Amino acid sequence: EEDWGSPLSHLMAGAMAGTVEHCGMFPLDTIKTHVQAFNVHGNIHGVKSITLRSATENIISKRGAIGLFRGLNAMVAGAAPAHAVYFATYEAFKGLFGGKKKGDTSYHPVAYFSAGVIATVFSEAVFTPMDTVKQKLQLGIKDYNGVIDCCRKTYKQRGIWRGFYAGYTTTLVMNVPYSGTYFASYEFLKRLLLPEGVDHSNFVNCVAGGGAGILSAALTNPLDVARTRLQTQSDVTGVIKYNNMHHALKVLWKEEGFSALTAGIVPRMLFHS
């Protein structure tokens, strides 16, 4: 515990950091969801292809500025426990894999990557159900009367696995390389930016975290689009068009092209910076 830090401290810090991050950046996430959920070329249920600006204007015109925060309570309900699990698991396994020993200043990319992968598997099992509910509330296509009502209707319509975990596999496939890339590049940037003889700098940590987040978000955006389509399709189209991650990516490429795979990439990069 002396070398790795208290598991409880990592758990509490992770929960607080995750909640603050998602609350502060939630409007960007809402805009991203609106851009990604609809066909970039077509016209689905009266909703045309939308840009970041038109998505923002559409949300505010219909619900006011508060519409940018619709679904925030679902996000908090999922983000706090998920981030607590994420950071506690990452720190524990980073230590177990030899990536965090007292006095060791060596770079251990395999340990960082592996710990990030395992942390993702555990945390996303906690977060995915509420992420699905959050996206449905963000879009506001169906008249859900809050989180509980959305959960009840989603369960009644599609059950637990298909209703709440439709994007879980895609999330894992996306976040495993995201987390691995994030932590490996984060540790690399810290070593690159820290002056010689200095072990810690809050400024360097912020810069390294921002750079790692931008890079990881950009590389995994196509999978994020697929996840959004899988989790919201029952509300957006009223039918199940995408069967799984592979099928969603295939249909997206065939019908909408490269622009679909980069939909929402700017707010996603800003969110993760």
Side-chain angles (χ1 to χ4, degrees):
E1 184 170 307
E2 182 181 352
D3 289 350
W4 301 347
S6 166
L8 180 60
S9 67
H10 291 307
L11 189 146
M12 293 179 64
M16 292 177 63
T19 302
V20 171
E21 170 201 356
H22 285 292
C23 287
M25 304 298 286
F26 194 78
L28 283 174
D29 185 68
T30 299
I31 295 168
K32 175 191 72 77
T33 298
H34 278 255
V35 173
Q36 290 181 340
F38 302 102
N39 189 305
V40 298
H41 299 309
N43 194 336
I44 301 177
H45 287 238
V47 180
K48 297 182 178 180
S49 169
I50 54 178
T51 62
L52 298 181
R53 180 177 178 178
S54 63
T56 306
E57 292 175 346
N58 182 55
I59 295 168
I60 295 176
S61 66
K62 288 184 176 180
R63 301 181 181 275
I66 195 66
L68 294 170
F69 292 91
R70 181 175 168 84
L72 179 61
N73 50 351
M75 171 67 83
V76 173
H83 277 75
V85 171
Y86 187 91
F87 282 98
T89 304
Y90 173 72
E91 291 296 333
F93 278 93
K94 183 170 75 169
L96 288 174
F97 292 151
K100 189 177 182 181
K101 294 181 179 179
K102 191 174 183 179
D104 182 9
T105 59
S106 300
Y107 182 54
H108 302 280
V110 175
Y112 304 143
F113 188 93
S114 300
V117 168
I118 294 174
T120 297
V121 173
F122 282 97
S123 66
E124 288 304 334
V126 176
F127 184 66
T128 297
M130 283 296 100
D131 185 54
T132 300
V133 172
K134 180 264 298 181
Q135 289 193 326
K136 288 174 177 285
L137 291 173
Q138 283 177 320
L139 293 177
I141 296 175
K142 291 189 176 180
D143 189 22
Y144 296 116
N145 187 26
V147 173
I148 295 177
D149 184 52
C150 183
C151 288
R152 181 177 60 81
K153 290 179 179 177
T154 299
Y155 172 74
K156 183 177 180 180
Q157 181 181 11
R158 303 208 67 203
I160 294 179
W161 181 253
R162 292 186 177 183
F164 295 99
Y165 284 92
Y168 180 61
T169 301
T170 307
T171 300
L172 288 183
V173 173
M174 174 180 69
N175 282 348
V176 163
Y178 176 92
S179 296
T181 301
Y182 177 89
F183 282 110
S185 57
Y186 171 67
E187 300 288 352
F188 173 76
L189 288 172
K190 279 203 307 181
R191 286 174 53 83
L192 181 68
L193 298 173
L194 277 173
E196 187 174 352
V198 177
D199 295 328
H200 177 77
S201 166
N202 289 331
F203 175 74
V204 168
N205 288 346
C206 289
V207 173
I214 289 172
L215 175 62
S216 303
L219 291 176
T220 56
N221 195 74
L223 292 168
D224 190 49
V225 176
R227 176 182 65 169
T228 298
R229 295 292 181 94
L230 285 166
Q231 291 183 164
T232 63
Q233 61 179 328
S234 60
D235 282 18
V236 174
T237 66
V239 297
I240 304 305
K241 181 177 182 179
Y242 311 107
N243 299 325
N244 50 49
M245 177 193 70
H246 179 264
H247 184 245
L249 289 171
K250 183 178 179 180
V251 173
L252 283 168
W253 177 257
K254 181 179 180 180
E255 295 186 355
E256 302 176 47
F258 182 74
S259 57
L261 302 181
T262 58
I265 192 171
V266 173
R268 175 169 163 78
M269 290 169 64
L270 291 173
F271 184 97
H272 288 279
S273 67

